[in-house]
Amino acid sequence: MKKVSNNKVVKESEHSKIIVYPGEPYPLGATWDGEGVNFALYSENATGVELCLFESQESQREHIKIEIKEASHHVWHVYVPGLKPGQLYGYRVHGPYEPAYGFRFNPNKVLIDPYAKSISGTIQWHDALFGYVIGDENEDLSFSELDSAPYIPKSVVTDSHFDWEGVQPPEIPYHDTIIYETHVKGFTYLNEEIPEEIRGTYAAMGHPATIRYLKDLGVNAVELMPVHHFISDRHLKERELTNYWGYNSIGFFAPDVRYSSSGTEGQQVVEFKNMVKELHRAGIEVILDVVYNHTGEGNQMGPTLSFRGIDNMSYYRLMDGRYYMDYTGTGNTLNARLPSVLRLIMDSLRYWITEMHVDGFRFDLASTLARELHEVDRLSAFFDIIHQDPIISQVKLIAEPWDIGYDGYQVGKFPIGWAEWNGRYRDCMRDYWRGADSMLAEFAERFTGSSDLYKGEYRRPTASINFITAHDGFTLNDLVSYNNKRNYANGEDNNDGEDHNRSWNCGAEGPSDNPEVIEIRNKQKRNFLTTLFLSQGVPMLVAGDEWGRTQGGNNNAYCQDNEISWLDWSKVDTELLTFSQKLIAFSKAHRSFRRRDWFRGLPIKGKGLEDIAWFLPDGSEMPEENWNHDYAKSLAVFLNGKGIRHVNKKGEPIYDDSFYMIFNAHYEPVEYTLPPKKYGTEWRKVIDTSANCITDDGQILGPDELVTVDSRSIVVFKHALEQQKI
């Protein structure tokens, strides 16, 4: 029998008391055990906490308010028997309001539970959501007495039970992974093969039409842009825009309600799980883009929605008490040096792995999480905890290895066990194909997995997440169509977004009906895609790039929840899509492009050929002095299919066909001499980006024969394994 607490409980609508129990401090959040709900909230500096229960999202005030008296190790807790999943709740937290010293408690504000597994509805912007008086001459030092209850979304008690039907995560190794970055709404909203009532939702992402498309394309991991419940800023609403990308989290355990077709009071959790189950059933992993570096509460002039009002000093990095450190450009930074914040992040990650069955995470502005005092520290507690965690350490961990703070660019500097968005790969390949002055040595490093960045730390080529484009920046089509961004629709006079895009419009700015311009653009798109999928490392393709999606030159469409961002399936370039499908299938069929380990550049034991060799147009191997020429635009590379040095799961050696690849970024054709007989007795052309061709029946040439490689194009030859002596 549980001991009855002396908590003061008021049922405001009837002024009668109900029975509550002391409850437990763990787990944090709201936990239903079949008989009632345990509530636990961390706040080190609070002087009092009230649990508020609501009858509906539209309720103007709570109908039950429970004053929590039990606190263990700064965790306020109470158990309420009889409550069930679907119950809406929030907190009012008491304490000093002294912003100059970092305290911003205001019990007039109903607060979202940081551990809420579901959040009902979205912010309804109103002055009452701010802890201070809007327009007061003292700004955030003033104190607001307006009640925020009618405008704040409520936390929801959930039931964790779900039938996974025995479907297990695919557990695809990095070297076999092809990542597809996409947006739940943008990818599905205009797809007429999906029922209209579920377009733009988790259900649409798990729909057979979506899965069929992904399977036909050949990708096996979707990287979803943020699905943690997020805030759309007030200033965007005032400009009739919205936060489309979602990098403004407020609920690190709750799938965002905007992508739910089934309901707002816990149904979104079930819908998300169903999406994951169906994708897993099809052999497709789910990676989440997560934002643990800041919250949607902004700087000192932002609203009081959750963390700020629960215990400002226990969650944020502050300067002089009143102000917030901002390494992210969003107004605040979560303080990952504090045990309470580290616990929040780790609990969130474990929850999405164990309860939601996701397969990995891409960490937005990950350098911020590794900052100790100010510098990025590779030995920080954040890395230590993840490295030793038996659950988190076993999934895919991908860093966006930079932030806007001092020394924030950390590409190649994350610890073993992490993969990274390789920004240097993106920059190099863009420069090479637009004809900019760049070194062939740089191209060779990026193409072979960036050993200069990762090999010294005992990491593998798969530490490099290779990409040409990402959600932020030009699409692939726009990369070859615009020299300059076109962001006027964002309402910032085209001042937002990156100015240095390393793009080339191929002779005309924006849409063109010039056949020569169109031909070059189409060839450039095929060049970028082919380079991406033949490079060592893990390729990441942005949704729609495989068929020429455009954003009209907008390279920062974060606030465009409309046709600018949504994939328009009526405008698919079917020729490019077919090329992309064949290219991905070709890459997946050959382990030469999916190596687990580094090239050695040395002869294979017992053989006279290296595992990799580089050639000049005359058929001779590349001498040292040629690597650093900034005017050289063409080179060839030989990959030895007998030099993979891998074994399969049975311990048997893995062999593949050998390949001779010629890259020509020059504006004129280049004549190449194929390598001598020792490299291959017969070479069949299998890829020609100039001819829009991927085939097994291409032209056959012999050693030392001449081949003309068209301007700005790639030609790939294959020497079949069965023709090689092993």
Side-chain angles (χ1 to χ4, degrees):
M1 180 76 119
K2 295 183 180 178
K3 181 181 178 182
V4 177
S5 156
N6 63 352
N7 286 335
K8 180 181 179 182
V9 184
V10 179
K11 188 172 182 179
E12 294 190 341
S13 60
E14 300 175 5
H15 300 285
S16 60
K17 292 185 177 181
I18 62 172
I19 296 175
V20 298
Y21 304 138
E24 303 293 339
Y26 184 85
L28 291 167
T31 306
W32 180 62
D33 63 4
E35 297 180 357
V37 179
N38 189 82
F39 297 89
L41 178 74
Y42 178 87
S43 180
E44 180 176 348
N45 295 296
T47 58
V49 176
E50 294 169 315
L51 171 66
C52 305
L53 304 181
F54 294 84
E55 292 182 304
S56 73
Q57 177 59 32
E58 291 72 34
S59 298
Q60 296 296 298
R61 283 190 61 83
E62 59 269 33
H63 74 292
I64 294 178
K65 184 190 294 183
I66 299 170
E67 183 181 354
I68 301 176
K69 291 292 185 67
E70 301 290 337
S72 305
H73 307 293
H74 308 305
V75 177
W76 300 74
H77 51 91
V78 67
Y79 182 93
V80 185
L83 295 186
K84 298 178 180 180
Q87 174 65 58
L88 305 183
Y89 71 99
Y91 292 103
R92 297 183 188 272
V93 181
H94 297 256
Y97 188 81
E98 300 174 359
Y101 299 99
F103 298 109
R104 294 181 179 269
F105 296 101
N106 187 334
N108 297 301
K109 312 305 167 185
V110 172
L111 304 173
I112 297 169
D113 182 357
Y115 277 72
K117 307 303 189 300
S118 173
I119 297 173
S120 177
T122 58
I123 291 286
Q124 304 302 307
W125 282 109
H126 189 275
D127 288 356
L129 292 167
F130 294 79
Y132 62 94
V133 178
I134 296 292
D136 191 282
E137 62 179 9
N138 293 315
E139 297 184 324
D140 62 303
L141 300 180
S142 61
F143 183 78
S144 169
E145 297 183 357
L146 297 177
D147 187 358
S148 70
Y151 314 105
I152 191 81
K154 310 308 184 293
S155 304
V156 185
V157 176
T158 61
D159 178 1
S160 63
H161 177 266
F162 181 78
D163 184 7
W164 290 97
E165 299 178 351
V167 176
Q168 296 296 315
E171 296 185 347
I172 300 168
Y174 265 122
H175 62 273
D176 286 332
T177 300
I178 298 175
I179 297 174
Y180 191 69
E181 189 193 28
T182 191
H183 186 283
V184 170
K185 182 175 182 178
F187 185 70
T188 63
Y189 194 69
L190 297 180
N191 189 342
E192 294 185 356
E193 294 186 14
I194 297 173
E196 186 174 2
E197 63 272 16
I198 66 168
R199 292 176 196 166
T201 68
Y202 304 120
M205 277 302 301
H207 188 269
T210 297
I211 291 173
R212 182 170 58 251
Y213 177 83
L214 297 174
K215 296 287 285 184
D216 289 345
L217 180 58
V219 299
N220 55 19
V222 290
E223 182 176 299
L224 301 179
M225 291 174 65
V227 297
H228 286 172
H229 196 98
F230 64 88
I231 301 302
S232 186
D233 302 282
R234 191 180 198 179
H235 69 87
L236 290 177
K237 181 178 176 60
E238 291 170 349
R239 302 207 310 261
E240 298 184 349
L241 297 170
T242 188
N243 188 324
Y244 171 70
W245 285 353
Y247 292 91
N248 213 23
S249 300
I250 198 67
F252 296 109
F253 295 77
D256 195 275
V257 70
R258 280 160 278 214
Y259 306 139
S260 173
S261 65
S262 53
T264 65
E265 298 179 1
Q267 295 89 344
Q268 60 267 50
V269 178
V270 176
E271 186 172 329
F272 184 93
K273 290 180 176 179
N274 272 318
M275 173 195 72
V276 174
K277 179 170 68 176
E278 294 310 314
L279 288 166
H280 281 179
R281 200 193 303 273
I284 299 170
E285 292 188 331
V286 178
I287 299 170
L288 300 187
D289 195 337
V290 291
V291 189
Y292 293 111
N293 51 71
H294 74 280
T295 78
E297 290 186 301
N299 62 16
Q300 74 276 6
M301 303 304 292
T304 297
L305 309 175
S306 181
F307 305 91
R308 174 173 285 137
I310 292 169
D311 196 343
N312 189 52
M313 295 184 68
S314 292
Y315 287 103
Y316 292 114
R317 304 189 84 160
L318 303 178
M319 296 187 300
D320 302 323
R322 179 180 180 183
Y323 302 104
Y324 295 78
M325 295 292 293
D326 184 9
Y327 293 113
T328 64
T330 59
N332 65 57
T333 302
L334 278 172
N335 194 346
R337 296 185 300 139
L338 297 177
S340 57
V341 176
L342 280 172
R343 176 173 59 183
L344 171 78
I345 296 172
M346 300 308 155
D347 286 350
S348 170
L349 293 171
R350 290 189 204 100
Y351 174 79
W352 287 97
I353 298 167
T354 59
E355 291 293 326
M356 308 296 258
H357 285 206
V358 304
D359 304 280
F361 306 93
R362 178 265 189 187
F363 292 80
D364 178 67
L365 302 179
S367 295
T368 299
L369 298 171
R371 291 186 181 273
E372 286 292 314
L373 291 176
H374 297 289
E375 295 183 354
V376 179
D377 185 357
R378 297 174 58 212
L379 301 177
S380 71
F382 174 76
F383 289 133
D384 288 343
I385 292 175
I386 283 184
H387 188 71
Q388 61 79 39
D389 190 282
I391 295 173
I392 303 172
S393 64
Q394 299 307 302
V395 301
K396 289 183 170 68
L397 302 171
I398 302 170
E400 182 186 32
W402 50 77
D403 63 18
I404 68 169
Y406 171 75
D407 200 27
Y409 195 77
Q410 295 287 313
V411 173
K413 298 180 181 179
F414 274 66
I416 191 169
W418 284 76
E420 303 174 21
W421 273 25
N422 190 344
R424 290 180 63 177
Y425 177 94
R426 171 200 59 204
D427 296 346
C428 173
M429 296 310 175
R430 288 187 178 193
D431 281 346
Y432 178 76
W433 284 113
R434 72 189 176 105
D437 291 341
S438 58
M439 306 297 183
L440 290 181
E442 172 85 356
F443 177 91
E445 281 285 9
R446 304 301 150 239
F447 184 74
T448 56
S450 296
S451 62
D452 59 331
L453 298 178
Y454 306 115
K455 187 176 181 180
E457 297 297 324
Y458 303 101
R459 299 163 79 185
R460 292 178 170 177
T462 49
S464 177
I465 305 297
N466 299 330
F467 65 105
I468 304 296
T469 62
H471 65 272
D472 52 342
F474 282 144
T475 66
L476 181 60
N477 181 83
D478 293 354
L479 185 68
V480 301
S481 303
Y482 293 88
N483 286 346
N484 302 298
K485 64 188 181 185
R486 297 288 189 275
N487 295 357
Y488 296 101
N490 296 355
E492 299 178 41
D493 295 325
N494 207 36
N495 290 317
D496 62 303
E498 178 62 56
D499 291 317
H500 186 45
N501 294 285
R502 291 181 161 90
S503 61
W504 177 50
N505 63 19
C506 301
E509 187 72 358
S512 174
D513 56 6
N514 185 321
E516 293 182 4
V517 171
I518 293 172
E519 180 183 0
I520 296 173
R521 288 178 177 177
N522 288 338
K523 191 161 54 172
Q524 287 287 76
K525 283 182 272 189
R526 295 191 291 268
N527 289 337
F528 278 120
L529 290 168
T530 302
T531 304
L532 175 65
F533 284 102
L534 299 189
S535 296
Q536 301 299 321
V538 180
M540 184 184 79
L541 179 68
V542 176
D545 275 358
E546 70 274 16
W547 51 256
R549 180 177 78 95
T550 180
Q551 291 183 167
N554 192 320
N555 74 352
N556 189 36
Y558 76 100
C559 56
Q560 300 296 333
D561 187 5
N562 51 45
E563 289 82 357
I564 292 175
S565 298
W566 303 336
L567 275 68
D568 187 346
W569 296 93
S570 69
K571 296 181 179 178
V572 172
D573 180 341
T574 55
E575 281 194 4
L576 183 58
L577 176 58
T578 299
F579 181 89
S580 300
Q581 292 169 333
K582 289 182 177 180
L583 176 64
I584 293 172
F586 178 85
S587 174
K588 292 170 70 175
H590 294 287
R591 287 299 296 270
S592 291
F593 308 112
R594 297 182 293 107
R595 297 172 59 95
R596 293 175 57 198
D597 296 313
W598 301 103
F599 290 106
R600 301 181 187 179
L602 300 172
I604 302 165
K605 187 176 181 180
K607 307 288 182 180
L609 294 181
E610 303 91 343
D611 52 5
I612 186 170
W614 302 87
F615 292 85
L616 294 171
D618 63 6
S620 62
E621 290 201 38
M622 183 88 70
E624 188 67 29
E625 60 267 20
N626 284 72
W627 283 115
N628 294 318
H629 289 170
D630 60 7
Y631 57 82
K633 308 299 180 190
S634 184
L635 79 166
V637 57
F638 166 78
L639 300 185
N640 192 334
K642 294 176 290 185
I644 296 176
R645 296 187 177 94
H646 298 174
V647 295
N648 60 23
K649 290 183 178 180
K650 296 181 180 180
E652 301 164 338
I654 294 174
Y655 300 109
D656 191 17
D657 303 319
S658 293
F659 294 92
Y660 192 76
M661 297 174 282
I662 305 171
F663 297 84
N664 181 26
H666 193 47
Y667 59 82
E668 291 181 336
V670 175
E671 193 171 72
Y672 262 82
T673 299
L674 292 179
K677 185 177 180 179
K678 70 174 185 177
Y679 291 96
T681 57
E682 180 180 288
W683 293 101
R684 182 184 294 275
K685 185 190 291 186
V686 289
I687 296 178
D688 187 341
T689 60
S690 179
N692 190 18
C693 176
I694 299 178
T695 179
D696 289 327
D697 301 318
Q699 177 187 15
I700 297 176
L701 297 174
D704 299 314
E705 286 199 50
L706 294 176
V707 58
T708 300
V709 180
D710 195 14
S711 61
R712 301 187 180 94
S713 65
I714 302 170
V715 175
V716 179
F717 292 93
K718 179 180 76 174
H719 180 50
L721 177 62
E722 57 266 23
Q723 296 173 329
Q724 306 174 45
K725 293 181 181 180
I726 300 176

